Amino acid sequence: QVQLVESGGGSVQAGGSLRLSCGASGYIDRRRTLGWFRQAPGTEREGVAAIYVRNGNTAYADSVKGRFTISQDNANTVYLQMNSLKPEDTAVYYCAAGWSLSLKRLDFDYWGQGTQVTVSS
């Protein structure tokens, strides 16, 4: 089974940066997509960024395009570099594994437990 563990969350002032990491344990089928989602209080969980493991193709939500970058290394680790952070980015961020290059929750079947990101104005 796939196990996902996020790290790197914290508090930062608006305009600052954070880098989230997600370690994926167990076998990762190269047909899978690894992604980042976030959920703020009172909102639905939304897709932020995703990367298709086989070829490195990426997808981003319009709200973070140009500010966030998803990447992966040779190990089963996926990163989310978050620049120019805004208070609206405050949320619990979740790493997830799915089966298509998608930002839809239903396309993902494994989830980490989340890491809090707080952006102050």
Side-chain angles (χ1 to χ4, degrees):
Q1 294 184 343
V2 176
Q3 295 182 341
L4 304 172
V5 180
E6 306 95 335
S7 63
S11 298
V12 66
Q13 292 184 322
S17 298
L18 285 173
R19 184 177 178 86
L20 305 183
S21 298
C22 174
S25 300
Y27 174 70
I28 302 296
D29 192 310
R30 293 190 63 82
R31 295 173 295 176
R32 279 192 176 272
T33 289
L34 298 177
W36 289 95
F37 290 71
R38 66 186 183 186
Q39 186 167 19
T43 71
E44 298 288 332
R45 190 171 301 184
E46 63 175 347
V48 175
I51 184 166
Y52 187 46
V53 172
R54 178 175 287 175
N55 59 19
N57 286 351
T58 58
Y60 295 94
D62 288 341
S63 60
V64 307
K65 196 170 299 181
R67 300 189 297 121
F68 291 9
T69 302
I70 188 170
S71 62
Q72 62 185 166
D73 60 17
N74 292 330
N76 289 336
T77 305
V78 62
Y79 305 96
L80 185 67
Q81 179 67 48
M82 305 185 293
N83 297 327
S84 301
L85 283 163
K86 305 174 181 179
E88 305 93 277
D89 296 319
T90 295
V92 177
Y93 283 71
Y94 299 88
C95 181
W99 288 108
S100 63
L101 186 58
S102 167
L103 298 177
K104 298 182 180 297
R105 288 190 300 166
L106 291 177
D107 289 330
F108 293 79
D109 57 343
Y110 286 95
W111 297 84
Q113 293 185 325
T115 185
Q116 177 71 46
V117 171
T118 302
V119 184
S120 60
S121 60

